[in-house]
Amino acid sequence: MVFKNTVSAISKTAAMLLLAGLYSCGTYNTKTTIEPDLYNGNFDKAIEGIDKNKFLNKDRNRLLYLMEKGKIEHLRGNFRASNILFEKAYIMIDDKIRTNAGQAIAGKLTNPMALPYKGEDFEKVTIHYYMALNYFELGLPNEALVEAKRIDIKLLQLNEKYSENKNKYNRDAFSQILQGLIYESTGDINNAFIAYRNAAEIYDSSDGSFFGVPMPDQLKKDLIRTAKLMGFENEYNTYIKKYNMPDYLPKKIGKDGVTVQPTPPVPAGEAIIFWENGLAPAKDQIVLTFSAANHWFYTSYTEDGVTQDIILPVPLAFNAGTVNAIAIPKYRVRQSFYNKAVLSNNGAEYPLEVGQDFNSIAKQCLKDRMLREIVELVTRFAAKKAASEGLAALGKSLLGDDGKDAFRLAGDVAGAVTEKADTRNWQSLPSTISYIRVPLVEGQNEYVIKKYGPQGITDTDKITIPFKKGLQIVSYFDLGRTQVFPGTPAATNTPVQGGATEGADKP
């Protein structure tokens, strides 16, 4: 009777643990206040929250800490502080973040959240995008170029180490656009043309789009304009025809009937407006239960209307047990409030065009990584099943066959309860980055930005850009809805929610 009561108690406890586990699947997104602080434009509070957050300050989450804090310092206009943090993150990635034996065992017997966070591949290269912007804002265009070039170089290096299921995100069109803009700012039109041409080739190789982003008209204009400025007439005419664009400088007929080619004008001042809209997707998880048949575990789930199948091999003489579950990560899109924006000045309108969409890139990178890591999934599952068999043997020695089944059930449930996906990801990244080129005149240039939201909502704001000869970059961002959640500046002249970056570190 005592044995039966003991077995019954073990079974009931196992059921209670399983039920509790189903309701305690906290994700990284729920372990910090980064999301609400960013939506509200409370960057001071976001920095304070990161420094005090126990989860982010664990050694295994050091890379995540550096990336989140580096991005928020960038938003605050603290470009030097931002780059110090990003440089540390870059060194960690380059030195290969190592997993110690204890972490490896914990990762196999519990879940991958026990392992050091090594970053998704697109996160590793996006560090260099923000370092480039930081250097540019600090008046160091050559250093900015080095960082912009590192994006594609790093993508190539990352992909070379994969023997199969290589990343589809192996080049970055927007990094080439950024290089072209920085080259132009230094007066190097030839290399600017080459960078724009490289970007165009990436779009052309994917039927005119890059991860769902159509080739921006601004890129076409910059490619055609720099070809004309360099005197590359063949390329100029080819691109005019290929992209169905108007002549950059229409030919004129002189008084004597001779065709005259106007001299390309050199604008006194221009600005590139980068608009960061919304927040990039956050990682969530799907917990899948498996059924075993003919030495295979099979399950399926639906994402974005597409059914995904997962099949894991079951070794011969392997007892599958009664509770079989694995957790896999998935990205959850955080819907942006605005869907488009337009700049206007003196009756002229300049629509901002998307240059980078982190939603599409993040999903593809995760999908490619999961295809490579199916072996890790099997290993974790097998390790937990082996632990259950060890408990079953102990149960049999203590309580006989009934004890064997109860202890195996307890082990299976414990494995299911601890089964969680790695839901860590860089959450302060924007959903999209859009851009446009606008002319400047001497004095203060005031542009109105009109932002379009749901149900016909339109919000407006002003961007004031002081004149400066040459090309400058102005960063503007809407992480939530400007008028609803006004931001609090971190310091005088630092950016606020829905505001242009006038950095505290700017020379």
Side-chain angles (χ1 to χ4, degrees), residues 29 48 74 111 137 143-144 156 189 211 225 250 298 308 327 341 343 358 396 406 462 477 488:
N29 184 249
E48 182 181 345
H74 170 81
N111 59 72
E137 294 287 359
E143 288 81 354
L156 179 62
I189 304 302
F211 286 93
R225 177 177 49 81
Y298 169 78
Q308 307 286 348
L343 287 168
F358 284 111
K396 182 175 183 179
K462 291 181 180 179
F477 46 90
T488 302

mmCIF file with all atom_site columns, all heavy atoms in Angstrom, residues 29 48 74 111 137 143-144 156 189 211 225 250 298 308 327 341 343 358 396 406 462 477 488:
data_model
loop_
_atom_site.group_PDB
_atom_site.id
_atom_site.type_symbol
_atom_site.label_atom_id
_atom_site.label_alt_id
_atom_site.label_comp_id
_atom_site.label_asym_id
_atom_site.label_entity_id
_atom_site.label_seq_id
_atom_site.pdbx_PDB_ins_code
_atom_site.Cartn_x
_atom_site.Cartn_y
_atom_site.Cartn_z
_atom_site.occupancy
_atom_site.B_iso_or_equiv
_atom_site.pdbx_formal_charge
_atom_site.auth_seq_id
_atom_site.auth_comp_id
_atom_site.auth_asym_id
_atom_site.auth_atom_id
_atom_site.pdbx_PDB_model_num
ATOM 1   N N   . ASN A 1 29  ? 12.068 38.597 -23.783 1.00 0.00 ? 29  ASN A N   1
ATOM 2   C CA  . ASN A 1 29  ? 11.257 39.798 -23.943 1.00 0.00 ? 29  ASN A CA  1
ATOM 3   C C   . ASN A 1 29  ? 10.532 40.172 -22.656 1.00 0.00 ? 29  ASN A C   1
ATOM 4   O O   . ASN A 1 29  ? 10.308 41.353 -22.367 1.00 0.00 ? 29  ASN A O   1
ATOM 5   C CB  . ASN A 1 29  ? 10.247 39.591 -25.081 1.00 0.00 ? 29  ASN A CB  1
ATOM 6   C CG  . ASN A 1 29  ? 9.434  40.828 -25.371 1.00 0.00 ? 29  ASN A CG  1
ATOM 7   O OD1 . ASN A 1 29  ? 8.235  40.861 -25.118 1.00 0.00 ? 29  ASN A OD1 1
ATOM 8   N ND2 . ASN A 1 29  ? 10.068 41.858 -25.903 1.00 0.00 ? 29  ASN A ND2 1
ATOM 9   N N   . GLU A 1 48  ? 19.255 52.531 -17.420 1.00 0.00 ? 48  GLU A N   1
ATOM 10  C CA  . GLU A 1 48  ? 19.227 52.166 -16.008 1.00 0.00 ? 48  GLU A CA  1
ATOM 11  C C   . GLU A 1 48  ? 18.703 50.739 -15.832 1.00 0.00 ? 48  GLU A C   1
ATOM 12  O O   . GLU A 1 48  ? 19.229 49.958 -15.034 1.00 0.00 ? 48  GLU A O   1
ATOM 13  C CB  . GLU A 1 48  ? 18.331 53.149 -15.241 1.00 0.00 ? 48  GLU A CB  1
ATOM 14  C CG  . GLU A 1 48  ? 18.257 52.893 -13.742 1.00 0.00 ? 48  GLU A CG  1
ATOM 15  C CD  . GLU A 1 48  ? 17.330 53.871 -13.035 1.00 0.00 ? 48  GLU A CD  1
ATOM 16  O OE1 . GLU A 1 48  ? 16.977 54.910 -13.638 1.00 0.00 ? 48  GLU A OE1 1
ATOM 17  O OE2 . GLU A 1 48  ? 16.954 53.585 -11.879 1.00 0.00 ? 48  GLU A OE2 1
ATOM 18  N N   . HIS A 1 74  ? 23.486 54.962 -28.691 1.00 0.00 ? 74  HIS A N   1
ATOM 19  C CA  . HIS A 1 74  ? 23.411 55.577 -30.024 1.00 0.00 ? 74  HIS A CA  1
ATOM 20  C C   . HIS A 1 74  ? 22.152 56.425 -30.132 1.00 0.00 ? 74  HIS A C   1
ATOM 21  O O   . HIS A 1 74  ? 22.190 57.556 -30.646 1.00 0.00 ? 74  HIS A O   1
ATOM 22  C CB  . HIS A 1 74  ? 23.412 54.495 -31.100 1.00 0.00 ? 74  HIS A CB  1
ATOM 23  C CG  . HIS A 1 74  ? 23.106 54.996 -32.488 1.00 0.00 ? 74  HIS A CG  1
ATOM 24  N ND1 . HIS A 1 74  ? 24.059 55.589 -33.290 1.00 0.00 ? 74  HIS A ND1 1
ATOM 25  C CD2 . HIS A 1 74  ? 21.944 55.015 -33.190 1.00 0.00 ? 74  HIS A CD2 1
ATOM 26  C CE1 . HIS A 1 74  ? 23.490 55.947 -34.441 1.00 0.00 ? 74  HIS A CE1 1
ATOM 27  N NE2 . HIS A 1 74  ? 22.209 55.610 -34.403 1.00 0.00 ? 74  HIS A NE2 1
ATOM 28  N N   . ASN A 1 111 ? 18.008 23.568 -21.236 1.00 0.00 ? 111 ASN A N   1
ATOM 29  C CA  . ASN A 1 111 ? 17.666 24.254 -22.478 1.00 0.00 ? 111 ASN A CA  1
ATOM 30  C C   . ASN A 1 111 ? 18.808 25.195 -22.869 1.00 0.00 ? 111 ASN A C   1
ATOM 31  O O   . ASN A 1 111 ? 19.683 25.498 -22.049 1.00 0.00 ? 111 ASN A O   1
ATOM 32  C CB  . ASN A 1 111 ? 16.349 25.024 -22.328 1.00 0.00 ? 111 ASN A CB  1
ATOM 33  C CG  . ASN A 1 111 ? 16.417 26.055 -21.218 1.00 0.00 ? 111 ASN A CG  1
ATOM 34  O OD1 . ASN A 1 111 ? 17.075 27.082 -21.352 1.00 0.00 ? 111 ASN A OD1 1
ATOM 35  N ND2 . ASN A 1 111 ? 15.752 25.777 -20.104 1.00 0.00 ? 111 ASN A ND2 1
ATOM 36  N N   . GLU A 1 137 ? 29.059 60.462 -37.356 1.00 0.00 ? 137 GLU A N   1
ATOM 37  C CA  . GLU A 1 137 ? 28.570 61.557 -36.523 1.00 0.00 ? 137 GLU A CA  1
ATOM 38  C C   . GLU A 1 137 ? 29.712 62.218 -35.754 1.00 0.00 ? 137 GLU A C   1
ATOM 39  O O   . GLU A 1 137 ? 29.642 63.403 -35.412 1.00 0.00 ? 137 GLU A O   1
ATOM 40  C CB  . GLU A 1 137 ? 27.507 61.044 -35.543 1.00 0.00 ? 137 GLU A CB  1
ATOM 41  C CG  . GLU A 1 137 ? 26.223 60.560 -36.189 1.00 0.00 ? 137 GLU A CG  1
ATOM 42  C CD  . GLU A 1 137 ? 25.362 61.685 -36.729 1.00 0.00 ? 137 GLU A CD  1
ATOM 43  O OE1 . GLU A 1 137 ? 25.748 62.863 -36.581 1.00 0.00 ? 137 GLU A OE1 1
ATOM 44  O OE2 . GLU A 1 137 ? 24.300 61.402 -37.305 1.00 0.00 ? 137 GLU A OE2 1
ATOM 45  N N   . GLU A 1 143 ? 36.989 56.052 -40.725 1.00 0.00 ? 143 GLU A N   1
ATOM 46  C CA  . GLU A 1 143 ? 36.671 54.976 -39.782 1.00 0.00 ? 143 GLU A CA  1
ATOM 47  C C   . GLU A 1 143 ? 35.266 54.436 -40.043 1.00 0.00 ? 143 GLU A C   1
ATOM 48  O O   . GLU A 1 143 ? 35.012 53.223 -39.909 1.00 0.00 ? 143 GLU A O   1
ATOM 49  C CB  . GLU A 1 143 ? 36.787 55.480 -38.344 1.00 0.00 ? 143 GLU A CB  1
ATOM 50  C CG  . GLU A 1 143 ? 38.219 55.712 -37.861 1.00 0.00 ? 143 GLU A CG  1
ATOM 51  C CD  . GLU A 1 143 ? 38.807 57.037 -38.325 1.00 0.00 ? 143 GLU A CD  1
ATOM 52  O OE1 . GLU A 1 143 ? 38.138 57.736 -39.125 1.00 0.00 ? 143 GLU A OE1 1
ATOM 53  O OE2 . GLU A 1 143 ? 39.921 57.369 -37.899 1.00 0.00 ? 143 GLU A OE2 1
ATOM 54  N N   . ALA A 1 144 ? 34.351 55.327 -40.424 1.00 0.00 ? 144 ALA A N   1
ATOM 55  C CA  . ALA A 1 144 ? 32.990 54.900 -40.751 1.00 0.00 ? 144 ALA A CA  1
ATOM 56  C C   . ALA A 1 144 ? 32.995 53.942 -41.944 1.00 0.00 ? 144 ALA A C   1
ATOM 57  O O   . ALA A 1 144 ? 32.269 52.948 -41.963 1.00 0.00 ? 144 ALA A O   1
ATOM 58  C CB  . ALA A 1 144 ? 32.119 56.115 -41.040 1.00 0.00 ? 144 ALA A CB  1
ATOM 59  N N   . LEU A 1 156 ? 30.477 37.162 -45.326 1.00 0.00 ? 156 LEU A N   1
ATOM 60  C CA  . LEU A 1 156 ? 31.210 36.156 -46.098 1.00 0.00 ? 156 LEU A CA  1
ATOM 61  C C   . LEU A 1 156 ? 31.949 35.196 -45.172 1.00 0.00 ? 156 LEU A C   1
ATOM 62  O O   . LEU A 1 156 ? 31.908 33.973 -45.358 1.00 0.00 ? 156 LEU A O   1
ATOM 63  C CB  . LEU A 1 156 ? 32.193 36.840 -47.047 1.00 0.00 ? 156 LEU A CB  1
ATOM 64  C CG  . LEU A 1 156 ? 33.063 35.918 -47.911 1.00 0.00 ? 156 LEU A CG  1
ATOM 65  C CD1 . LEU A 1 156 ? 32.190 35.083 -48.844 1.00 0.00 ? 156 LEU A CD1 1
ATOM 66  C CD2 . LEU A 1 156 ? 34.077 36.728 -48.711 1.00 0.00 ? 156 LEU A CD2 1
ATOM 67  N N   . ILE A 1 189 ? 33.625 60.341 -55.615 1.00 0.00 ? 189 ILE A N   1
ATOM 68  C CA  . ILE A 1 189 ? 32.465 59.961 -56.422 1.00 0.00 ? 189 ILE A CA  1
ATOM 69  C C   . ILE A 1 189 ? 32.683 58.621 -57.111 1.00 0.00 ? 189 ILE A C   1
ATOM 70  O O   . ILE A 1 189 ? 31.731 57.840 -57.286 1.00 0.00 ? 189 ILE A O   1
ATOM 71  C CB  . ILE A 1 189 ? 32.145 61.056 -57.463 1.00 0.00 ? 189 ILE A CB  1
ATOM 72  C CG1 . ILE A 1 189 ? 31.942 62.408 -56.770 1.00 0.00 ? 189 ILE A CG1 1
ATOM 73  C CG2 . ILE A 1 189 ? 30.896 60.697 -58.261 1.00 0.00 ? 189 ILE A CG2 1
ATOM 74  C CD1 . ILE A 1 189 ? 30.846 62.410 -55.728 1.00 0.00 ? 189 ILE A CD1 1
ATOM 75  N N   . PHE A 1 211 ? 15.264 40.731 -49.684 1.00 0.00 ? 211 PHE A N   1
ATOM 76  C CA  . PHE A 1 211 ? 14.481 40.299 -48.527 1.00 0.00 ? 211 PHE A CA  1
ATOM 77  C C   . PHE A 1 211 ? 13.182 41.091 -48.415 1.00 0.00 ? 211 PHE A C   1
ATOM 78  O O   . PHE A 1 211 ? 12.847 41.640 -47.368 1.00 0.00 ? 211 PHE A O   1
ATOM 79  C CB  . PHE A 1 211 ? 15.302 40.411 -47.239 1.00 0.00 ? 211 PHE A CB  1
ATOM 80  C CG  . PHE A 1 211 ? 16.341 39.330 -47.124 1.00 0.00 ? 211 PHE A CG  1
ATOM 81  C CD1 . PHE A 1 211 ? 17.639 39.546 -47.572 1.00 0.00 ? 211 PHE A CD1 1
ATOM 82  C CD2 . PHE A 1 211 ? 16.019 38.084 -46.611 1.00 0.00 ? 211 PHE A CD2 1
ATOM 83  C CE1 . PHE A 1 211 ? 18.588 38.543 -47.506 1.00 0.00 ? 211 PHE A CE1 1
ATOM 84  C CE2 . PHE A 1 211 ? 16.966 37.078 -46.527 1.00 0.00 ? 211 PHE A CE2 1
ATOM 85  C CZ  . PHE A 1 211 ? 18.263 37.312 -46.986 1.00 0.00 ? 211 PHE A CZ  1
ATOM 86  N N   . ARG A 1 225 ? 23.216 59.291 -61.240 1.00 0.00 ? 225 ARG A N   1
ATOM 87  C CA  . ARG A 1 225 ? 23.865 60.590 -61.043 1.00 0.00 ? 225 ARG A CA  1
ATOM 88  C C   . ARG A 1 225 ? 25.383 60.453 -60.951 1.00 0.00 ? 225 ARG A C   1
ATOM 89  O O   . ARG A 1 225 ? 26.126 61.212 -61.578 1.00 0.00 ? 225 ARG A O   1
ATOM 90  C CB  . ARG A 1 225 ? 23.319 61.244 -59.768 1.00 0.00 ? 225 ARG A CB  1
ATOM 91  C CG  . ARG A 1 225 ? 23.975 62.581 -59.413 1.00 0.00 ? 225 ARG A CG  1
ATOM 92  C CD  . ARG A 1 225 ? 23.324 63.182 -58.171 1.00 0.00 ? 225 ARG A CD  1
ATOM 93  N NE  . ARG A 1 225 ? 23.228 62.209 -57.097 1.00 0.00 ? 225 ARG A NE  1
ATOM 94  C CZ  . ARG A 1 225 ? 24.232 61.891 -56.286 1.00 0.00 ? 225 ARG A CZ  1
ATOM 95  N NH1 . ARG A 1 225 ? 25.412 62.474 -56.443 1.00 0.00 ? 225 ARG A NH1 1
ATOM 96  N NH2 . ARG A 1 225 ? 24.063 61.005 -55.325 1.00 0.00 ? 225 ARG A NH2 1
ATOM 97  N N   . PRO A 1 250 ? 18.880 66.411 -68.634 1.00 0.00 ? 250 PRO A N   1
ATOM 98  C CA  . PRO A 1 250 ? 18.358 66.375 -70.002 1.00 0.00 ? 250 PRO A CA  1
ATOM 99  C C   . PRO A 1 250 ? 19.171 67.277 -70.935 1.00 0.00 ? 250 PRO A C   1
ATOM 100 O O   . PRO A 1 250 ? 19.558 68.393 -70.559 1.00 0.00 ? 250 PRO A O   1
ATOM 101 C CB  . PRO A 1 250 ? 16.924 66.903 -69.834 1.00 0.00 ? 250 PRO A CB  1
ATOM 102 C CG  . PRO A 1 250 ? 16.594 66.672 -68.390 1.00 0.00 ? 250 PRO A CG  1
ATOM 103 C CD  . PRO A 1 250 ? 17.886 66.845 -67.660 1.00 0.00 ? 250 PRO A CD  1
ATOM 104 N N   . TYR A 1 298 ? 7.694  12.657 -35.006 1.00 0.00 ? 298 TYR A N   1
ATOM 105 C CA  . TYR A 1 298 ? 7.172  13.582 -36.017 1.00 0.00 ? 298 TYR A CA  1
ATOM 106 C C   . TYR A 1 298 ? 6.246  14.597 -35.370 1.00 0.00 ? 298 TYR A C   1
ATOM 107 O O   . TYR A 1 298 ? 5.442  14.287 -34.487 1.00 0.00 ? 298 TYR A O   1
ATOM 108 C CB  . TYR A 1 298 ? 6.397  12.837 -37.098 1.00 0.00 ? 298 TYR A CB  1
ATOM 109 C CG  . TYR A 1 298 ? 5.621  13.768 -38.016 1.00 0.00 ? 298 TYR A CG  1
ATOM 110 C CD1 . TYR A 1 298 ? 6.279  14.461 -39.031 1.00 0.00 ? 298 TYR A CD1 1
ATOM 111 C CD2 . TYR A 1 298 ? 4.260  14.000 -37.826 1.00 0.00 ? 298 TYR A CD2 1
ATOM 112 C CE1 . TYR A 1 298 ? 5.587  15.341 -39.851 1.00 0.00 ? 298 TYR A CE1 1
ATOM 113 C CE2 . TYR A 1 298 ? 3.561  14.875 -38.636 1.00 0.00 ? 298 TYR A CE2 1
ATOM 114 C CZ  . TYR A 1 298 ? 4.239  15.550 -39.651 1.00 0.00 ? 298 TYR A CZ  1
ATOM 115 O OH  . TYR A 1 298 ? 3.555  16.432 -40.442 1.00 0.00 ? 298 TYR A OH  1
ATOM 116 N N   . GLN A 1 308 ? 5.267  23.656 -41.346 1.00 0.00 ? 308 GLN A N   1
ATOM 117 C CA  . GLN A 1 308 ? 6.651  23.206 -41.202 1.00 0.00 ? 308 GLN A CA  1
ATOM 118 C C   . GLN A 1 308 ? 6.648  21.841 -40.527 1.00 0.00 ? 308 GLN A C   1
ATOM 119 O O   . GLN A 1 308 ? 5.990  21.646 -39.500 1.00 0.00 ? 308 GLN A O   1
ATOM 120 C CB  . GLN A 1 308 ? 7.450  24.198 -40.349 1.00 0.00 ? 308 GLN A CB  1
ATOM 121 C CG  . GLN A 1 308 ? 7.389  25.644 -40.810 1.00 0.00 ? 308 GLN A CG  1
ATOM 122 C CD  . GLN A 1 308 ? 8.215  25.895 -42.049 1.00 0.00 ? 308 GLN A CD  1
ATOM 123 O OE1 . GLN A 1 308 ? 9.020  25.052 -42.467 1.00 0.00 ? 308 GLN A OE1 1
ATOM 124 N NE2 . GLN A 1 308 ? 8.034  27.061 -42.664 1.00 0.00 ? 308 GLN A NE2 1
ATOM 125 N N   . ALA A 1 327 ? 11.165 22.551 -27.666 1.00 0.00 ? 327 ALA A N   1
ATOM 126 C CA  . ALA A 1 327 ? 10.810 23.957 -27.886 1.00 0.00 ? 327 ALA A CA  1
ATOM 127 C C   . ALA A 1 327 ? 11.740 24.531 -28.948 1.00 0.00 ? 327 ALA A C   1
ATOM 128 O O   . ALA A 1 327 ? 12.944 24.309 -28.913 1.00 0.00 ? 327 ALA A O   1
ATOM 129 C CB  . ALA A 1 327 ? 10.933 24.748 -26.584 1.00 0.00 ? 327 ALA A CB  1
ATOM 130 N N   . ALA A 1 341 ? 6.267  57.256 -44.450 1.00 0.00 ? 341 ALA A N   1
ATOM 131 C CA  . ALA A 1 341 ? 6.461  58.659 -44.076 1.00 0.00 ? 341 ALA A CA  1
ATOM 132 C C   . ALA A 1 341 ? 6.959  59.440 -45.284 1.00 0.00 ? 341 ALA A C   1
ATOM 133 O O   . ALA A 1 341 ? 7.592  58.889 -46.196 1.00 0.00 ? 341 ALA A O   1
ATOM 134 C CB  . ALA A 1 341 ? 7.453  58.778 -42.922 1.00 0.00 ? 341 ALA A CB  1
ATOM 135 N N   . LEU A 1 343 ? 8.708  63.407 -46.343 1.00 0.00 ? 343 LEU A N   1
ATOM 136 C CA  . LEU A 1 343 ? 9.259  64.702 -45.956 1.00 0.00 ? 343 LEU A CA  1
ATOM 137 C C   . LEU A 1 343 ? 8.784  65.762 -46.949 1.00 0.00 ? 343 LEU A C   1
ATOM 138 O O   . LEU A 1 343 ? 8.631  65.481 -48.144 1.00 0.00 ? 343 LEU A O   1
ATOM 139 C CB  . LEU A 1 343 ? 10.793 64.664 -45.964 1.00 0.00 ? 343 LEU A CB  1
ATOM 140 C CG  . LEU A 1 343 ? 11.484 63.894 -44.838 1.00 0.00 ? 343 LEU A CG  1
ATOM 141 C CD1 . LEU A 1 343 ? 12.955 63.719 -45.164 1.00 0.00 ? 343 LEU A CD1 1
ATOM 142 C CD2 . LEU A 1 343 ? 11.317 64.614 -43.517 1.00 0.00 ? 343 LEU A CD2 1
ATOM 143 N N   . PHE A 1 358 ? 14.431 44.389 -41.042 1.00 0.00 ? 358 PHE A N   1
ATOM 144 C CA  . PHE A 1 358 ? 14.985 43.387 -40.139 1.00 0.00 ? 358 PHE A CA  1
ATOM 145 C C   . PHE A 1 358 ? 14.011 42.250 -39.867 1.00 0.00 ? 358 PHE A C   1
ATOM 146 O O   . PHE A 1 358 ? 14.435 41.175 -39.423 1.00 0.00 ? 358 PHE A O   1
ATOM 147 C CB  . PHE A 1 358 ? 15.410 44.041 -38.823 1.00 0.00 ? 358 PHE A CB  1
ATOM 148 C CG  . PHE A 1 358 ? 16.700 44.803 -38.927 1.00 0.00 ? 358 PHE A CG  1
ATOM 149 C CD1 . PHE A 1 358 ? 16.726 46.184 -38.838 1.00 0.00 ? 358 PHE A CD1 1
ATOM 150 C CD2 . PHE A 1 358 ? 17.895 44.143 -39.127 1.00 0.00 ? 358 PHE A CD2 1
ATOM 151 C CE1 . PHE A 1 358 ? 17.909 46.890 -38.944 1.00 0.00 ? 358 PHE A CE1 1
ATOM 152 C CE2 . PHE A 1 358 ? 19.097 44.832 -39.233 1.00 0.00 ? 358 PHE A CE2 1
ATOM 153 C CZ  . PHE A 1 358 ? 19.100 46.215 -39.139 1.00 0.00 ? 358 PHE A CZ  1
ATOM 154 N N   . LYS A 1 396 ? 12.712 1.233  -10.410 1.00 0.00 ? 396 LYS A N   1
ATOM 155 C CA  . LYS A 1 396 ? 12.494 -0.217 -10.406 1.00 0.00 ? 396 LYS A CA  1
ATOM 156 C C   . LYS A 1 396 ? 13.194 -0.864 -9.233  1.00 0.00 ? 396 LYS A C   1
ATOM 157 O O   . LYS A 1 396 ? 12.654 -1.774 -8.577  1.00 0.00 ? 396 LYS A O   1
ATOM 158 C CB  . LYS A 1 396 ? 12.976 -0.818 -11.722 1.00 0.00 ? 396 LYS A CB  1
ATOM 159 C CG  . LYS A 1 396 ? 12.724 -2.329 -11.809 1.00 0.00 ? 396 LYS A CG  1
ATOM 160 C CD  . LYS A 1 396 ? 13.101 -2.881 -13.176 1.00 0.00 ? 396 LYS A CD  1
ATOM 161 C CE  . LYS A 1 396 ? 12.774 -4.376 -13.244 1.00 0.00 ? 396 LYS A CE  1
ATOM 162 N NZ  . LYS A 1 396 ? 13.111 -4.944 -14.577 1.00 0.00 ? 396 LYS A NZ  1
ATOM 163 N N   . ALA A 1 406 ? 6.645  5.081  -13.018 1.00 0.00 ? 406 ALA A N   1
ATOM 164 C CA  . ALA A 1 406 ? 6.399  6.386  -12.388 1.00 0.00 ? 406 ALA A CA  1
ATOM 165 C C   . ALA A 1 406 ? 7.629  7.270  -12.443 1.00 0.00 ? 406 ALA A C   1
ATOM 166 O O   . ALA A 1 406 ? 7.544  8.475  -12.723 1.00 0.00 ? 406 ALA A O   1
ATOM 167 C CB  . ALA A 1 406 ? 5.952  6.176  -10.938 1.00 0.00 ? 406 ALA A CB  1
ATOM 168 N N   . LYS A 1 462 ? 8.571  68.101 -37.068 1.00 0.00 ? 462 LYS A N   1
ATOM 169 C CA  . LYS A 1 462 ? 9.508  68.952 -37.804 1.00 0.00 ? 462 LYS A CA  1
ATOM 170 C C   . LYS A 1 462 ? 10.936 68.477 -37.574 1.00 0.00 ? 462 LYS A C   1
ATOM 171 O O   . LYS A 1 462 ? 11.316 68.115 -36.460 1.00 0.00 ? 462 LYS A O   1
ATOM 172 C CB  . LYS A 1 462 ? 9.367  70.410 -37.371 1.00 0.00 ? 462 LYS A CB  1
ATOM 173 C CG  . LYS A 1 462 ? 8.060  71.054 -37.791 1.00 0.00 ? 462 LYS A CG  1
ATOM 174 C CD  . LYS A 1 462 ? 8.002  72.516 -37.346 1.00 0.00 ? 462 LYS A CD  1
ATOM 175 C CE  . LYS A 1 462 ? 6.689  73.155 -37.772 1.00 0.00 ? 462 LYS A CE  1
ATOM 176 N NZ  . LYS A 1 462 ? 6.591  74.576 -37.320 1.00 0.00 ? 462 LYS A NZ  1
ATOM 177 N N   . PHE A 1 477 ? 13.876 58.756 -35.696 1.00 0.00 ? 477 PHE A N   1
ATOM 178 C CA  . PHE A 1 477 ? 13.319 57.459 -35.352 1.00 0.00 ? 477 PHE A CA  1
ATOM 179 C C   . PHE A 1 477 ? 11.958 57.580 -34.688 1.00 0.00 ? 477 PHE A C   1
ATOM 180 O O   . PHE A 1 477 ? 11.648 58.552 -34.007 1.00 0.00 ? 477 PHE A O   1
ATOM 181 C CB  . PHE A 1 477 ? 14.274 56.688 -34.431 1.00 0.00 ? 477 PHE A CB  1
ATOM 182 C CG  . PHE A 1 477 ? 14.829 57.522 -33.310 1.00 0.00 ? 477 PHE A CG  1
ATOM 183 C CD1 . PHE A 1 477 ? 14.174 57.593 -32.110 1.00 0.00 ? 477 PHE A CD1 1
ATOM 184 C CD2 . PHE A 1 477 ? 15.987 58.252 -33.486 1.00 0.00 ? 477 PHE A CD2 1
ATOM 185 C CE1 . PHE A 1 477 ? 14.659 58.392 -31.077 1.00 0.00 ? 477 PHE A CE1 1
ATOM 186 C CE2 . PHE A 1 477 ? 16.479 59.050 -32.466 1.00 0.00 ? 477 PHE A CE2 1
ATOM 187 C CZ  . PHE A 1 477 ? 15.823 59.125 -31.265 1.00 0.00 ? 477 PHE A CZ  1
ATOM 188 N N   . THR A 1 488 ? 11.834 61.754 -23.330 1.00 0.00 ? 488 THR A N   1
ATOM 189 C CA  . THR A 1 488 ? 12.566 62.658 -22.450 1.00 0.00 ? 488 THR A CA  1
ATOM 190 C C   . THR A 1 488 ? 14.028 62.614 -22.839 1.00 0.00 ? 488 THR A C   1
ATOM 191 O O   . THR A 1 488 ? 14.648 61.558 -22.801 1.00 0.00 ? 488 THR A O   1
ATOM 192 C CB  . THR A 1 488 ? 12.425 62.211 -20.979 1.00 0.00 ? 488 THR A CB  1
ATOM 193 O OG1 . THR A 1 488 ? 11.040 62.180 -20.654 1.00 0.00 ? 488 THR A OG1 1
ATOM 194 C CG2 . THR A 1 488 ? 13.146 63.168 -20.052 1.00 0.00 ? 488 THR A CG2 1
#
